[in-house]
Amino acid sequence: MREEAVVPVAEDIIDDTMSSDNDAELDDNLDHDDNEHTVDQPGRLVSSLDIKSSRKNALLRLRCRVEDAILGGYIYGKNKNKLLSIKTITEDLTGISLWGVPLLPSKDNARTDIVLMNFLRAKDYGVYDAFKMIRKTLRWRREFRVFEILDQEKFSPDLENMWYIDNGNDKEGRLLCYNVFRNIKNKELEEEIWGRHNHNYECLRWRVHIMEKSTQQLEFKQGGVNSVLMITDLGNSPGNAWKEVRWINRKMMNLVHDHYPGIIYKNIFINVPVWFATVHALNLRMITQRSKNAFIFVKPSKVTETLLKYISPENLLADYGGLKRENNVEFSTDDKVLEISIKPCSFGLIKMPVKEVEVTITWDLTVVGNEVIYKEEFIPDDDCSYRVLVQEDKKMVESVRNSFHIREEGKIVITIDNPTYKKKTAFYRYKTKPSVPMYMYLK
């Protein structure tokens, strides 16, 4: 006989010709002068008192290098134009910024240190390598005309609709950015997105456009929103365009690795087809282990389970097994979400008591991985009253929302049948509000 689990209701990221080999050697010594091991969160800057002394020294030395390079006019590399005066260069570069943050340390902008620390972390706190990375990033942005992408370049509305920044955050407060391809049905749009017919360069610029829009939302301050959790849904990606896809994604992977250090906390690819995972297994060999850890590939059956590791149920979209819905007027992210576990081959009961009358109770329910059968009913407290079947036995395939008008005290009981040999986790929430039943309006 199956076991019944009754759960109580809770109340409740040009080589430097001005540098010498001694500088690089000094950087290496700095990285190993402490025996203690400290882990810094990508995208976050802890208090200066909490940073290892070697890392504080590395930050100070990088600040000096960047300051000298900007004021000396060689932040983009060695000046080859002998006719351009140092004074002119200095006037042009003192206002230089990256991701909206001034780079000149003497301006005493607190956000500058956050950006510099991103480059230091990417190079394991090697000042020489971090400085070279900054210069290469600034040169790339100028050559790729990144500012034109944001201010002048226009993409089709269909392309723009393929991505959006969610107004929620992950469990650590990071920005959520979705890049959704699963609803593409227009073949011409599909070709534009995936860069067919020599549109690869335009598609790459569109992907950079997404990155830049995301960085505009970051705060770059201590304890603030300083990194992005990027979710890419490949549910409808074209399998016959693998050459174009491989080129675009390899390019984008290298750009993120080289020019956006610390910006992407994790890049989660969901609903991944086998061909895509194979392609990226080859691409990942060309980047560092630190960057490899930022890429996660998830097959369709593991989407909800994986995303819930990073995003709370109330902030995860219902399309992916969460409880969040567009234009949600019933619930907010502040409404408490309850959790129960259902053992393999057993039943779970969710009880939602209602001690008021003439109210409507609304509830959300999701089960990680689905594969369960659920039933909803209203059970009055009065033994002489009839039970009301709200939802007969039904296989769960997505997040559920339902409501019921209460005319007498009782409770909503949801029975979840888990016929699998795997433990299941269910998340739910509910609330009541005064209402008038529909038949009163008809009168």
Side-chain angles (χ1 to χ4, degrees), residues 183-201:
N183 293 325
I184 302 174
K185 295 181 174 62
N186 185 303
K187 289 296 181 182
E188 293 181 359
L189 176 60
E190 179 184 292
E191 291 174 357
E192 182 178 0
I193 291 176
W194 289 106
R196 296 192 201 175
H197 303 319
N198 299 320
H199 289 169
N200 299 24
Y201 183 72

Side-chain angles (χ1 to χ4, degrees), residues 336-399:
K336 187 172 183 178
V337 175
L338 306 174
E339 173 184 349
I340 69 167
S341 296
I342 305 128
K343 295 180 180 179
C345 299
S346 67
F347 291 92
L349 294 181
I350 295 175
K351 297 180 180 181
M352 298 177 284
V354 184
K355 299 303 180 182
E356 303 172 273
V357 296
E358 300 303 331
V359 298
T360 295
I361 180 172
T362 304
W363 61 90
D364 280 341
L365 171 67
T366 186
V367 178
V368 180
N370 296 318
E371 298 179 314
V372 300
I373 298 171
Y374 72 99
K375 180 179 68 175
E376 302 167 335
E377 57 185 335
F378 172 73
I379 304 177
D381 289 344
D382 188 348
D383 293 337
C384 297
S385 298
Y386 291 101
R387 292 187 176 192
V388 180
L389 183 62
V390 181
Q391 172 63 59
E392 62 183 5
D393 288 352
K394 184 178 181 180
K395 184 176 181 179
M396 181 173 286
V397 294
E398 60 184 358
S399 299

Side-chain angles (χ1 to χ4, degrees), residues 40-233:
D40 293 335
Q41 281 190 331
R44 293 185 180 272
L45 180 64
V46 295
S47 169
S48 59
L49 296 176
D50 298 330
I51 302 177
K52 290 169 54 177
S53 60
S54 62
R55 296 181 181 181
K56 286 198 292 186
N57 291 336
L59 177 59
L60 291 174
R61 294 184 62 228
L62 183 59
R63 285 170 58 95
C64 293
R65 279 182 177 269
V66 172
E67 180 91 14
D68 291 345
I70 293 176
L71 297 180
Y74 56 87
I75 188 64
Y76 286 104
K78 188 176 181 180
N79 178 32
K80 297 180 180 181
N81 188 350
K82 306 299 182 182
L83 300 178
L84 192 62
S85 69
I86 296 295
K87 180 179 179 180
T88 303
I89 296 175
T90 303
E91 291 176 348
D92 290 341
L93 297 182
T94 51
I96 193 171
S97 64
L98 178 60
W99 309 322
V101 178
L103 274 185
L104 190 66
S106 60
K107 287 191 173 183
D108 291 329
N109 191 309
R111 298 187 301 162
T112 303
D113 284 351
I114 303 287
V115 173
L116 296 182
M117 283 296 291
N118 282 354
F119 286 90
L120 281 170
R121 288 192 189 95
K123 294 302 180 181
D124 293 325
Y125 296 90
V127 178
Y128 176 71
D129 291 334
F131 179 67
K132 288 200 300 182
M133 190 178 188
I134 293 174
R135 299 175 82 176
K136 289 179 179 179
T137 296
L138 294 174
R139 283 206 309 272
W140 169 78
R141 295 177 66 85
R142 182 174 62 178
E143 294 166 1
F144 200 74
R145 309 191 313 278
V146 171
F147 293 106
E148 292 182 14
I149 296 179
L150 286 172
D151 302 332
Q152 304 174 17
E153 213 158 323
K154 300 297 182 182
F155 300 94
S156 71
D158 291 323
L159 268 177
E160 291 286 0
N161 290 335
M162 290 298 105
W163 78 278
Y164 61 94
I165 296 175
D166 191 67
N167 57 6
N169 301 92
D170 72 354
K171 293 180 178 179
E172 301 297 328
R174 301 182 186 90
L175 192 70
L176 294 177
C177 181
Y178 289 86
N179 197 355
V180 183
F181 296 98
R182 60 186 173 85
N183 293 325
I184 302 174
K185 295 181 174 62
N186 185 303
K187 289 296 181 182
E188 293 181 359
L189 176 60
E190 179 184 292
E191 291 174 357
E192 182 178 0
I193 291 176
W194 289 106
R196 296 192 201 175
H197 303 319
N198 299 320
H199 289 169
N200 299 24
Y201 183 72
E202 287 76 14
C203 181
L204 184 62
R205 290 182 68 79
W206 173 66
R207 300 289 291 272
V208 171
H209 169 75
I210 296 175
M211 286 296 303
E212 290 297 314
K213 284 290 187 180
S214 300
T215 56
Q216 285 184 338
Q217 305 297 316
L218 301 181
E219 299 174 344
F220 295 107
K221 68 179 184 180
Q222 183 175 331
V225 180
N226 301 327
S227 58
V228 179
L229 182 64
M230 184 79 71
I231 301 168
T232 304
D233 187 347

Side-chain angles (χ1 to χ4, degrees), residues 189-299:
L189 176 60
E190 179 184 292
E191 291 174 357
E192 182 178 0
I193 291 176
W194 289 106
R196 296 192 201 175
H197 303 319
N198 299 320
H199 289 169
N200 299 24
Y201 183 72
E202 287 76 14
C203 181
L204 184 62
R205 290 182 68 79
W206 173 66
R207 300 289 291 272
V208 171
H209 169 75
I210 296 175
M211 286 296 303
E212 290 297 314
K213 284 290 187 180
S214 300
T215 56
Q216 285 184 338
Q217 305 297 316
L218 301 181
E219 299 174 344
F220 295 107
K221 68 179 184 180
Q222 183 175 331
V225 180
N226 301 327
S227 58
V228 179
L229 182 64
M230 184 79 71
I231 301 168
T232 304
D233 187 347
L234 297 172
N236 198 41
S237 55
N240 55 350
W242 70 272
K243 290 184 179 179
E244 291 83 0
V245 174
R246 179 180 179 182
W247 183 89
I248 292 168
N249 283 283
R250 183 176 69 245
K251 278 285 188 180
M252 199 64 211
M253 186 180 296
N254 290 336
L255 287 181
V256 171
H257 174 262
D258 294 339
H259 305 309
Y260 292 92
I263 298 300
I264 301 297
Y265 170 66
K266 296 287 183 184
N267 201 332
I268 305 176
F269 293 85
I270 60 177
N271 294 316
V272 175
V274 175
W275 64 266
F276 191 90
T278 303
V279 166
H280 271 276
L282 300 175
N283 292 339
L284 288 173
R285 297 183 302 175
M286 300 181 293
I287 63 177
T288 64
Q289 184 62 44
R290 183 191 296 267
S291 295
K292 285 182 183 179
N293 294 336
F295 291 87
I296 301 174
F297 304 97
V298 186
K299 58 185 180 180

Side-chain angles (χ1 to χ4, degrees), residues 406-417:
I406 304 296
R407 301 187 64 185
E408 58 180 315
E409 294 183 6
K411 56 182 171 291
I412 294 292
V413 178
I414 304 177
T415 305
I416 303 175
D417 178 10

